[in-house]
Amino acid sequence: MDKLQITGGRPLEGEVRISGAKNATLPILAATLLADGPVTISNVPHLQDVTTMIELLGRMGVTVTIDEKLRIEVDPTTIREQFAPYELVKKMRASILVLGPLLARYGEADVSLPGGCAIGARPVNIHVAGLQAMGADIHIENGYIKARTGKARAGRLKGARLVLETVTVTGTENLMMAAVLADGETVLENAAREPEVVDLANFLIAMGAKIRGAGTDRIVIEGVERLHGCSYEVMPDRIETGTFLVAAAITGGHVRTKNTCPAYLDAVLLKLQEAGAKLAQGDNWIELDMRGRRPKAIDVRTAPYPAFPTDMQAQFAALDAVADGVGTIIETVFENRFMHMLEMRRMGAEIRLEGNTAIIKGVPKLMAAPVMATDLRASASLVLAALVAEGQTVIERIYHIDRGYESIEEKLSGLGAQIRRVPGR
Ligand code: UD1
């Protein structure tokens, strides 16, 4: 397995191009299953999770091709089976996103239940309950969700008013995708407001769907007979943007992130300012300047959008680990999302954990150590910590990073970091 070797101590300087958003690309690829013809998607990031979703579509018989401009063309009409096997779903929970589209378009779907996950239980009960309320017949058999629509309605789901018990991003997306081809109107109450939900809605609208209210907690979908092919460009990745801005702040550097969208990062930018960073922004860029200054400790509480994202929590923990003062990080979205804290302690961070709260007392210097990536965002925080640690840190299990960060070592070395991938056996 590959490792990353990072020698800390260099302030990052320069410009970095932000990739398309992983969490928008995955539902959009799943949503192509709804179309009657080929769909072209651009600004798709080259990531392991995206490869897994493409593999899943391919396994079902869908034709996926990549053209010379790195656009992905998906022709869903060649589909042979509505089946998502365990060996792919276990690699990536977001595979569950094919459930809604398959059921809406073909009246049947067999999708493996995602297993437990390193960051908590992460159930899919809300996805299942919503589809049942839309008339689906669902039972769990041998670890698979077996979903069917009744033959009486010619295989179509029926619109319903769904009040989601918890704000869930992929749950909202799955139900929105199911509703676009249902009979009548569906109302999603307590819907997730994440920008990726809005991007998916815009993609569905480009295929002919009727959706109002995406980006608010009440989404209204009027089912249509069919959806047609279209071309669509995926939004920029706000979490990758935030990660590079923290990388600049933690190293006392000066970095401009390009091809991004500042409006999606309000809560994160506010915290960076509190930490003492100077920020400038334009339509599609954000620049952070922290030269000659040590970050101030900040408090963070994660919650659904537009509040502070759980996917940026680990990166800010790394920032607090070397900041001036004591910062508190409260994780309210997932239980058990603090594994990076234990690894950072091995690098000299002073962190106390009390349930879902981490109390971090900044130290002037972290020390290099061998550490292990445990999940996607946790691994990003270890990279950040290594960028300021004294000596050479070796990070193992970096396949977690490759799931969500495109060419991380090229992008960081482009900003002056000393980082090297060591191919494993
Ligand atoms: C998505 C993101 C992930 C991000 C998370 C929260 C994708 C592919 N992934 O994950 O990067 O960290 O949103 O912003 O977009 N829950 C239930 N029952 C359900 C569904 C969820 O109880 O049926 C709970 C979860 O356990 C969790 C909370 O709801 O505590 C939020 O999870 P959810 O928004 O569903 O996360 P994902 O969509 O899996």
Side-chain angles (χ1 to χ4, degrees), residues 3 13 19 56 67 76 136 151 154 194 222 231 258 281 289 330 332 368 370 372:
K3 297 175 185 177
E13 287 276 348
S19 302
L56 177 57
D67 73 11
K151 289 228 167 14
E194 267 66 4
E222 202 189 308
S231 293
K258 298 187 300 182
Q281 63 188 55
D289 187 353
I330 304 176
T332 76
M372 202 163 74

Side-chain angles (χ1 to χ4, degrees), residues 62-116:
V62 170
T63 311
V64 184
T65 43
I66 302 179
D67 73 11
E68 71 289 351
K69 288 189 172 151
L70 294 178
R71 286 180 306 214
I72 294 197
E73 186 177 291
V74 184
D75 182 357
T77 59
T78 56
I79 193 166
R80 283 186 312 266
E81 54 178 0
Q82 290 74 34
F83 177 63
Y86 176 64
E87 70 265 26
L88 289 177
V89 180
K90 79 169 181 212
K91 273 203 214 170
M92 182 182 72
R93 284 190 86 261
S95 311
I96 191 75
L97 285 164
V98 300
L99 178 62
L102 286 176
L103 194 59
R105 176 72 176 80
Y106 297 100
E108 59 178 307
D110 291 349
V111 177
S112 171
L113 273 173

Side-chain angles (χ1 to χ4, degrees), residues 22-23 26-27 93-94 97 119 121-128 165-171 173 194 196 238 310-311 332-335 337 377:
K22 167 179 91 73
N23 285 355
L26 297 175
R93 284 190 86 261
L97 285 164
I119 60 170
R122 299 187 84 171
V124 291
N125 57 308
I126 298 170
H127 306 229
V128 169
E165 191 184 308
T166 310
V167 178
T168 153
V169 177
T170 49
E173 292 166 344
E194 267 66 4
E196 292 78 11
R238 64 193 167 102
T310 172
D311 286 351
T332 76
V333 179
F334 292 115
E335 77 252 40
R337 206 179 200 187
R377 305 304 166 187

Side-chain angles (χ1 to χ4, degrees), residues 350-374:
E350 288 188 21
I351 304 177
R352 194 154 52 86
L353 298 180
E354 282 177 16
N356 69 344
T357 304
I359 300 128
I360 306 177
K361 183 171 179 300
V363 293
K365 266 256 165 290
L366 291 174
M367 291 165 303
V371 288
M372 202 163 74
T374 51

